[in-house]
């Protein structure tokens, strides 16, 4: 598995995942930039994603639907803050209702993705910043940490294909 570490920092309200891949930065970037590739790994294996809208430009949106093993459906959205292909992406990540409208009663996170050359391949740092300790604990209790590890753990197979 490519995930080398996951660090929960309650003092700084961050969850940081580090993963290393045996592929160039430009190739790993395409996993974010191409909606068909993104949906092959965004979400744990038992909750595959369908990307409905994908606009990776500042002010753009990505919307997606994850379908669980029992047919349960969960919608989410990103609001893109900044993009520096092929090395950086920042967005706000949130939950949506059945109609795709953001859920005001659920927390959002600020996400920063950094791709850097590392030992002949790529290191991906995926850092989520929470608004409060309560929000962080709520999302971790919902399985965010394990879900991220499982999702990113699917990338190696995609890069090898």
């Amino acid at each position: 598995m490519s995930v080398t570490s996951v660090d929960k920092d309650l003092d700084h309200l961050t969850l940081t995942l580090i993963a290393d891949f045996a592929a160039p930065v430009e190739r790993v970037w395409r996993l974010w930039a191409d909606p068909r590739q993104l949906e092959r790994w965004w979400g744990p294996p038992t909750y595959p994603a369908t990307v409905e809208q994908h606009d990776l430009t500042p002010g753009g949106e990505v919307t997606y639907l994850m379908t669980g093993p029992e047919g349960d459906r969960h919608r989410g959205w990103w609001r893109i803050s900044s993009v520096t292909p092929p090395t950086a992406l920042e967005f706000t990540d949130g939950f949506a209702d059945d109609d795709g409208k953001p859920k005001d009663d659920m927390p959002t996170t600020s996400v920063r993705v950094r791709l850097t050359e590392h030992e002949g391949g790529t290191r991906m740092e995926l850092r989520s910043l929470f608004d409060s300790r309560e929000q962080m604990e709520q999302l971790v209790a919902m399985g965010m940490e394990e879900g991220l590890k499982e999702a990113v753990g699917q990338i190696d197979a995609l890069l090898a294909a």
Side-chain angles (χ1 to χ4, degrees):
M1 183 186 252
S2 53
V3 175
T4 59
S5 69
V6 178
D7 177 50
K8 282 187 293 199
D9 184 340
L10 293 173
D11 294 329
H12 293 101
L13 302 176
T14 58
L15 177 68
T16 305
L17 180 141
I18 303 290
D20 293 328
F21 305 104
V25 169
E26 293 78 11
R27 175 64 186 101
V28 177
W29 174 257
R30 285 197 303 269
L31 295 171
W32 292 93
D34 178 345
R36 301 296 70 90
Q37 291 185 50
L38 179 63
E39 64 190 8
R40 293 182 62 197
W41 70 271
W42 184 255
T46 56
Y47 282 83
T50 301
V51 175
E52 299 173 316
Q53 180 180 348
H54 188 270
D55 179 5
L56 277 194
T57 59
E61 290 189 0
V62 172
T63 60
Y64 60 91
L65 167 69
M66 294 193 311
T67 305
E70 306 298 321
D72 47 315
R73 297 160 57 100
H74 308 274
R75 291 187 178 277
W77 54 267
W78 301 348
R79 293 236 166 65
I80 308 303
S81 315
S82 70
V83 184
T84 309
T87 59
L89 173 64
E90 294 184 17
F91 58 92
T92 302
D93 184 19
F95 295 88
D97 65 19
D98 291 338
D99 297 322
K101 295 179 186 159
K103 284 185 164 186
D104 294 332
D105 62 338
M106 291 296 291
T108 60
T109 55
S110 297
V111 179
R112 186 183 81 191
V113 179
R114 296 288 182 265
L115 302 176
T116 55
E117 290 184 24
H118 179 74
E119 297 180 0
T122 300
R123 170 160 284 178
M124 180 171 73
E125 177 183 304
L126 180 63
R127 175 168 290 165
S128 298
L129 175 64
F130 304 85
D131 290 335
S132 69
R133 189 177 184 124
E134 294 76 26
Q135 287 182 347
M136 182 176 183
E137 289 171 348
Q138 177 184 3
L139 290 174
V140 168
M142 291 172 61
M144 179 180 180
E145 180 180 0
E146 192 58 38
L148 273 176
K149 287 195 299 193
E150 289 179 5
V152 172
Q154 300 173 102
I155 290 178
D156 279 329
L158 295 173
L159 294 172

